[in-house]
Amino acid sequence: MTASLALKRLFDVTVSAIALVCFAPVLLVVGVLVRARLGTPVLFRQQRPGLGGQPFMLVKFRTMRDATDAHGRPLDDAERLTPFGRRLRATSLDELPELWNVLRGDMSLVGPRPLLMEYLPRYSAEQRRRHDVRPGITGWAQVNGRNASSWDERFAHDVWYVTHRSFALDLRILFRTVRQVFVAEGIEQPGHVTMPRFTGRPEGR
């Protein structure tokens, strides 16, 4: 492990451990509210690709209700996402349990956001570079448009981060993330309550 990677990991472990202790009351309150508003399970767990595309179990607060159609299929996100869930997403409080993923080494505080496992075979060689680093709670794409960006823009930002990553850049992204959470920018694309699914490039590049 290089000195820069060791510093990044030390920073991740230190900050995530302190944050988990400091935010423990917030985690408890949010957990109780999720239980009261959305029921159980309180935590949303899903397998996501990490460093090198290797799967890990991401943990965050649940923001959607269980709702299915007459055939037992989940309804669209717009129908399952409640006003309470929207507030959790707007304030990024739903992401707080991911500090545990950072402490475990599954994630970093800063890096490309972990997407769905099903996207892995759809990436171009350039897009696949986003998995050359640990995924993050926040990243360059999140402070440059968040979910309001197109997939091409997000992947371009992710790859740019991989190429230019540094401890100084991580600090810059963290400070910009704090500002973005307070002003609630780029939470969703027009006409979508969540990011549209990535279908890949038809030409297979």
Side-chain angles (χ1 to χ4, degrees):
M1 180 181 292
T2 65
S4 60
L5 288 177
L7 177 61
K8 181 178 176 70
R9 182 61 189 147
L10 176 62
F11 182 75
D12 282 344
V13 170
T14 303
V15 173
S16 60
I18 293 173
L20 281 169
V21 173
C22 292
F23 285 114
V26 178
L27 287 161
L28 178 60
V29 170
V30 174
V32 170
L33 289 174
V34 171
R35 174 67 176 82
R37 301 288 185 87
L38 300 174
T40 56
V42 170
L43 295 176
F44 171 79
R45 302 172 187 269
Q46 188 177 59
Q47 200 172 64
R48 298 286 179 93
L51 180 64
Q54 293 302 306
F56 73 95
M57 192 62 68
L58 177 138
V59 183
K60 60 192 297 186
F61 281 120
R62 178 182 177 192
T63 58
M64 294 187 183
R65 64 191 179 94
D66 287 327
T68 58
D69 60 20
H71 302 286
R73 294 171 297 202
L75 296 178
D76 292 338
D77 289 349
E79 298 177 86
R80 295 190 296 127
L81 185 62
T82 66
F84 171 69
R86 282 177 181 267
R87 287 194 292 273
L88 284 184
R89 291 185 176 215
T91 57
S92 295
L93 288 174
D94 63 317
E95 310 282 358
L96 283 179
E98 291 173 34
L99 290 166
W100 175 246
N101 286 123
V102 175
L103 194 61
R104 281 173 45 90
D106 302 322
M107 296 176 63
S108 175
L109 292 172
V110 179
R113 283 293 298 164
L115 301 176
L116 299 178
M117 294 295 297
E118 67 188 69
Y119 293 172
L120 286 176
R122 302 175 188 171
Y123 294 144
S124 66
E126 182 74 359
Q127 292 167 346
R128 202 170 293 117
R129 291 185 58 210
R130 69 193 312 279
H131 293 294
D132 289 349
V133 298
R134 284 190 179 94
I137 293 180
T138 186
W140 189 239
Q142 281 60 55
V143 298
N144 284 280
R146 205 170 173 181
N147 289 338
S149 302
S150 68
W151 279 116
D152 281 346
E153 291 169 329
R154 289 185 68 174
F155 289 138
H157 288 315
D158 288 342
V159 173
W160 185 93
Y161 171 79
V162 171
T163 301
H164 297 89
R165 63 189 184 276
S166 68
F167 185 65
L169 179 60
D170 282 3
L171 292 179
R172 180 182 170 192
I173 291 171
L174 287 171
F175 283 124
R176 287 183 60 176
T177 298
V178 172
R179 175 192 173 277
Q180 192 170 51
V181 167
F182 278 109
V183 299
E185 292 178 339
I187 298 169
E188 57 193 45
Q189 288 191 5
H192 299 275
V193 298
T194 57
M195 191 71 184
R197 298 182 79 81
F198 174 62
T199 56
R201 293 181 179 274
E203 65 271 35
R205 289 187 286 124

